[in-house]
Amino acid sequence: MRTGGAPGAVDPGGASAQIRDAAVVRFGRDGFGAGLRTIADDAGVTAGLIVHHFGSKEGLRRACDAHVLALLRTAKEEALTDTDTGSLLARTAGIEEFAPIVRYLLRSVQAGGELAATTAEHMIGDAAAYLAAGEAAGVIRSSRAPAARTRFLAYQGLGSLLVWFTLHPDNGDDARFTASLREYVRTITFPAVELFCQGLFVDRSMLDDHPLHVPDPPSDGASA
Amino acid sequence: MRTGGAPGAVDPGGASAQIRDAAVVRFGRDGFGAGLRTIADDAGVTAGLIVHHFGSKEGLRRACDAHVLALLRTAKEEALTDTDTGSLLARTAGIEEFAPIVRYLLRSVQAGGELAATTAEHMIGDAAAYLAAGEAAGVIRSSRAPAARTRFLAYQGLGSLLVWFTLHPDNGDDARFTASLREYVRTITFPAVELFCQGLFVDRSMLDDHPLHVPDPPSDGASA
DNA sequence: GAGCAGGCTAAACAGGCGTTCAATGCGAAG
DNA sequence: CTTCGCATTGAACGCCTGTTTAGCCTGCTC
């Protein structure tokens, strides 16, 4: 086997990164209940080595979270002026290489925890930026509660995607996942556009009569 | 104890129903990874008895699914003319007694599986009825793809609720859960009303220019 | 060449899991 | 009273989990 030096083989980051990548893929595919030995087999190593490198399974997951978050931050600048949250993720996963990351993120949101909250805050922040930009450009209506609207849209988009993948467990390879993701986008695009263009209710009385006791809280979405 | 003639019959007060109820509560609270011994302790029995009555853990879960589904069907007639999916669930959980059922349903959707698909189909069916009724009453706009819109709205409402509870794990008693549910409804009500009344985009060009190659598929939402 | 450090492995360990089994207790029937 | 049937128990089993431990084996350093 190759050792820790710097051999000429394709070894980006060494076995540690290899384990981490395998863990991201396996966690994304099977959820965080996946066993260390399974991940070890995927990475071509043993379970003991994982603990040797990451201290524990939780340490491995922290490393995966940090790695995915770093990738997310790196790929953030590729984000375009898109209004829909699901489409944003879909675009990110358009690059087939990023499918495991999106899969891992969905698993993370599904399982809750710190990365889930961070991811949600990320998406809410992005959505806020997009909405503000669209509002400034005159293509998006103003809101009487912008922050609440932003959080609402982000929750809806992320949750809808999550339900889709929970109900369509095409737990195959990444190509299947990407195809399902595209199918999802194709399915929701028209209803989303229709809803965003013409709303759902015929008249505005329900909105105009609303007391709006929602104080449009600050962007902290964690505490109840 | 009573020795029932029919072993599988619903026997209010019997140990079988007691185990099932405890399992619904525990599964809803901790997820389906909860151990048999934990459920047994909750029900005041032993793990062996659970297997004796339900055959296996999967059998117990099937019994829970069937029970929850029966309760859902029973409580369906209480549904009112509400447009929002989340509010529907919230109204159902308004009765404190129904909080464990809603919790179990959310866990079920989170975990996927048959009950999740059935629940989703239920909600889609209900949403379709509400939308059609509202459309007939002239308060809801017509859609160029009604079935797609229905499924879209159901996915959004259900997913948003799911993300809320994943990110706000107030895993305390049922009172906490109910309070969090009310908080959720309070939070999303205004943005939902605003979106449903005035949409999101300023002009309709994005909708009018849409080719609409979505063939508005039949109400089967399970297969990809 | 000798010695050391560390990546890496295989085996063992402790604990939890679902499940099985023999035995107990109690109520009903003969 | 005896006997049977069934709900119920507590202990045991086998499996899988994350983790620990001891040792090998390789490459670097002197």
Side-chain angles (χ1 to χ4, degrees):
Chain A
M1 299 299 176
R2 90 168 63 91
T3 55
V10 185
D11 194 0
S16 177
Q18 204 167 338
I19 292 172
R20 165 173 48 67
D21 291 346
V24 168
V25 171
R26 180 57 68 176
F27 279 150
R29 188 166 315 207
D30 296 350
F32 295 106
L36 279 187
R37 287 168 179 84
T38 308
I39 298 172
D41 284 352
D42 291 346
V45 298
T46 58
L49 189 62
I50 297 181
V51 180
H52 174 73
H53 276 301
F54 299 95
S56 66
K57 186 179 183 180
E58 194 194 329
L60 173 63
R61 198 187 154 184
R62 274 198 299 265
C64 290
D65 283 8
H67 181 235
V68 166
L69 202 58
L71 284 183
L72 198 67
R73 288 210 173 93
T74 301
K76 207 171 182 179
E77 60 220 20
E78 299 183 8
L80 300 177
T81 59
D82 196 7
T83 56
D84 192 73
T85 311
S87 297
L88 169 66
L89 266 184
R91 190 185 311 274
T92 305
I95 314 164
E96 308 279 335
E97 185 193 5
F98 275 35
I101 279 83
V102 176
R103 227 165 165 180
Y104 183 90
L105 278 175
L106 281 178
R107 284 283 179 199
S108 184
V109 172
Q110 190 179 34
E114 201 167 344
L115 179 62
T118 308
T119 302
E121 284 181 21
H122 257 259
M123 301 190 66
I124 290 174
D126 291 351
Y130 299 149
L131 288 174
E135 203 170 336
V139 298
I140 288 184
R141 295 182 185 274
S142 64
S143 169
R144 280 161 62 192
R149 176 174 75 172
T150 301
R151 208 166 52 231
F152 169 74
L153 289 175
Y155 271 51
Q156 299 260 119
L158 190 57
S160 177
L161 184 62
L162 187 59
V163 169
W164 171 275
F165 276 104
T166 307
L167 262 52
H168 301 74
D170 285 342
N171 278 329
D173 44 74
D174 288 340
R176 276 275 188 77
F177 176 82
T178 306
S180 182
L181 199 53
R182 291 193 209 281
E183 171 70 15
Y184 167 76
V185 173
R186 197 189 67 80
T187 301
I188 71 157
T189 293
F190 180 76
V193 168
E194 194 182 58
L195 176 66
F196 290 166
C197 280
Q198 70 177 14
L200 193 66
F201 297 152
V202 171
D203 67 358
R204 291 175 48 93
S205 63
M206 206 171 182
L207 174 61
D208 296 331
D209 296 349
H210 199 92
L212 183 54
H213 54 276
V214 180
D216 195 12
S219 59
D220 173 67
S223 63
Chain B
M1 295 301 175
R2 62 202 319 127
T3 62
V10 180
D11 193 357
S16 178
Q18 203 167 340
I19 291 172
R20 167 172 46 65
D21 291 345
V24 168
V25 172
R26 180 56 68 175
F27 279 150
R29 188 167 314 206
D30 295 350
F32 295 105
L36 279 187
R37 288 167 179 84
T38 308
I39 298 171
D41 283 353
D42 291 346
V45 297
T46 58
L49 188 62
I50 298 181
V51 179
H52 176 254
H53 276 300
F54 299 96
S56 66
K57 185 180 183 178
E58 194 194 330
L60 173 63
R61 202 193 150 179
R62 274 198 299 265
C64 289
D65 282 9
H67 181 236
V68 165
L69 201 58
L71 284 183
L72 198 67
R73 288 211 174 93
T74 301
K76 206 172 183 178
E77 61 220 20
E78 299 182 8
L80 301 177
T81 60
D82 196 6
T83 56
D84 191 72
T85 309
S87 297
L88 170 66
L89 266 184
R91 190 185 312 274
T92 306
I95 314 164
E96 309 277 335
E97 186 192 5
F98 275 35
I101 278 83
V102 177
R103 228 165 165 180
Y104 183 91
L105 279 175
L106 281 178
R107 285 285 180 196
S108 183
V109 172
Q110 190 180 35
E114 200 167 345
L115 179 62
T118 308
T119 302
E121 284 181 21
H122 257 258
M123 301 190 66
I124 290 173
D126 291 352
Y130 299 148
L131 289 174
E135 203 170 336
V139 298
I140 288 184
R141 296 182 185 274
S142 64
S143 170
R144 281 160 61 192
R149 176 174 76 172
T150 300
R151 208 166 54 232
F152 169 75
L153 289 174
Y155 270 51
Q156 298 259 119
L158 190 57
S160 177
L161 185 61
L162 187 59
V163 169
W164 172 275
F165 276 104
T166 307
L167 263 52
H168 300 75
D170 285 342
N171 278 329
D173 43 69
D174 287 341
R176 276 275 189 78
F177 176 82
T178 306
S180 182
L181 199 54
R182 292 192 209 282
E183 171 69 15
Y184 168 74
V185 173
R186 198 187 67 79
T187 301
I188 71 155
T189 294
F190 180 76
V193 168
E194 195 181 57
L195 176 66
F196 290 165
C197 280
Q198 70 176 14
L200 192 67
F201 297 152
V202 171
D203 67 357
R204 291 176 48 95
S205 63
M206 207 171 182
L207 175 60
D208 296 331
D209 297 348
H210 200 92
L212 184 53
H213 53 277
V214 180
D216 195 11
S219 59
D220 174 66
S223 62

